[in-house]
Amino acid sequence: MTASKTRAAALPARAGLGLKPEHYETILADRPDVGFFEVHAENYMGAGGPPHRYLEAITERYPLSLHGVGLSIGAAHGLDKAHLKRLRRLIDRYRPQSFSEHLAWSTHATGFLNDLLPLPYTPETLARVIDHVDETQQALGRELLLENPSTYVLFADSTIDEIDFLATIAQHTGCGLLLDVNNVMVSAVNHRLDAATYINRFPVELVGEIHLAGYDETIDDAGDRLLIDAHGTAVKSDVVALYQHTLARSGPLPTLIEWDNDVPDFATLQAEAARADAMLATEALRRNGRRIRAA
């Protein structure tokens, strides 16, 4: 059943940045030209203190995307009701333009794992995730965007293609999708798949936000490339090219630059956002020119 929810005002089709405490003062003092900021929900679940004071000041000036990392929407057991209540309070407080979570699990029994772990794509897990997305949207009173994962293993018992799995969840729940282009590249290289083919099949009409990030690279035991979704460097050139390919299908969409580890100075982050903004503007001009020629 489709959850009862409201659709928030959309993020602008521009590049945004993850909001980091070390940049609070710079952002408030300089008011940089950034499309939006995104925060991890779990970092703002306390009742008050400096993080909330800064976030309140920044969201008076910029749109906000709220990104969850702890809901464990793919877990075998039920969702954490207390966590859902904390999320609802945060959403009611800030009214973000976007809320997203991962197609992953991170809890088992009473334990919490510091990883976003993959799940097998089977009818059983599909039904469970549909139930969890429905429950989340009912509890939060709004649409959720579900993010495609980066993966390092494939399950022998998976019987459903990942894109079909995501599209079916969206069809049954009315949720949207978050397309992480870096995750597509990481998974494609790790599993010897073609990243452009994945993008060509992805239901871009359901995408409410795009993520870009930098990956790390190593060699696996067989001597093959192994990419790690590390979020500690600039976006790599092959991901930039895949992003351009994505925009050619989807058109301009809100695009977050994720840089969560070894965070650089704000000027470096803003340069990454400016590069994405330039690609978004180019795609918008290309589409406008095509419409004018067709008129």
Side-chain angles (χ1 to χ4, degrees):
M1 137 178 154
T2 300
S4 173
K5 60 190 184 301
T6 60
R7 183 181 291 270
L11 292 169
R14 290 198 55 201
L17 292 172
L19 178 61
K20 304 303 176 189
E22 51 263 59
H23 300 143
Y24 287 156
E25 297 286 358
T26 298
I27 293 164
L28 290 174
D30 298 345
R31 301 203 182 180
D33 182 21
V34 174
F36 63 95
F37 285 100
E38 182 164 289
V39 299
H40 289 167
E42 288 73 13
N43 290 338
Y44 292 86
M45 285 185 171
H52 280 292
R53 290 200 300 274
Y54 282 110
L55 186 58
E56 286 167 356
I58 289 167
T59 54
E60 287 177 359
R61 299 165 173 81
Y62 296 93
L64 177 66
S65 175
L66 194 63
H67 192 48
V69 296
L71 191 54
S72 194
I73 213 158
H77 54 74
L79 297 178
D80 184 338
K81 302 296 192 294
H83 189 82
L84 280 173
K85 288 180 180 178
R86 289 190 293 269
L87 274 175
R88 179 62 189 254
R89 286 195 295 270
L90 194 60
I91 284 171
D92 287 347
R93 181 172 185 172
Y94 287 102
R95 302 291 180 183
Q97 280 72 27
S98 176
F99 171 70
S100 55
E101 252 290 355
H102 300 82
L103 179 62
W105 64 277
S106 55
T107 55
H108 180 68
T110 59
F112 187 87
L113 306 169
N114 194 30
D115 286 291
L116 295 166
L117 300 170
L119 57 155
Y121 299 141
T122 65
E124 179 184 6
T125 56
L126 177 61
R128 183 168 68 246
V129 174
I130 287 172
D131 286 345
H132 286 174
V133 171
D134 252 339
E135 182 181 354
T136 298
Q137 293 187 141
Q138 288 281 7
L140 302 183
R142 62 170 297 155
E143 179 188 59
L144 174 152
L145 302 181
L146 191 62
E147 179 181 343
N148 60 295
S150 58
T151 58
Y152 309 93
V153 296
L154 297 175
F155 290 90
D157 54 349
S158 287
T159 58
I160 304 172
D161 170 82
E162 180 174 282
I163 294 175
D164 293 339
F165 195 90
L166 286 161
T168 302
I169 295 166
Q171 176 187 355
H172 282 272
T173 67
C175 79
L177 300 178
L178 190 159
L179 177 55
D180 190 312
V181 176
N182 185 65
N183 286 359
V184 173
M185 182 62 68
V186 167
S187 296
V189 169
N190 291 346
H191 305 312
R192 320 299 176 244
L193 303 173
D194 183 68
T197 298
Y198 184 102
I199 295 296
N200 290 343
R201 291 188 53 237
F202 202 86
V204 292
E205 68 278 3
L206 301 177
V207 176
E209 186 177 339
I210 290 174
H211 277 187
L212 299 175
Y215 59 73
D216 284 349
E217 183 169 350
T218 186
I219 301 296
D220 65 16
D221 291 342
D224 294 319
R225 294 178 72 201
L226 177 67
L227 303 190
I228 309 295
D229 184 30
H231 295 193
T233 60
V235 181
K236 298 294 195 293
S237 60
D238 54 356
V239 176
V240 171
L242 188 62
Y243 175 56
Q244 291 177 304
H245 181 73
T246 301
L247 293 181
R249 283 206 64 219
S250 67
L253 287 169
T255 299
L256 178 79
I257 306 299
E258 291 188 290
W259 198 322
D260 299 316
N261 299 302
D262 299 322
V263 177
D265 60 31
F266 190 80
T268 300
L269 292 181
Q270 193 171 9
E272 284 288 281
R275 177 168 64 161
D277 262 338
M279 287 184 279
L280 288 163
T282 296
E283 180 58 28
L285 286 171
R286 186 183 75 83
R287 287 173 176 256
N288 288 336
R290 191 166 62 190
R291 281 195 292 269
I292 291 168
R293 289 193 297 273

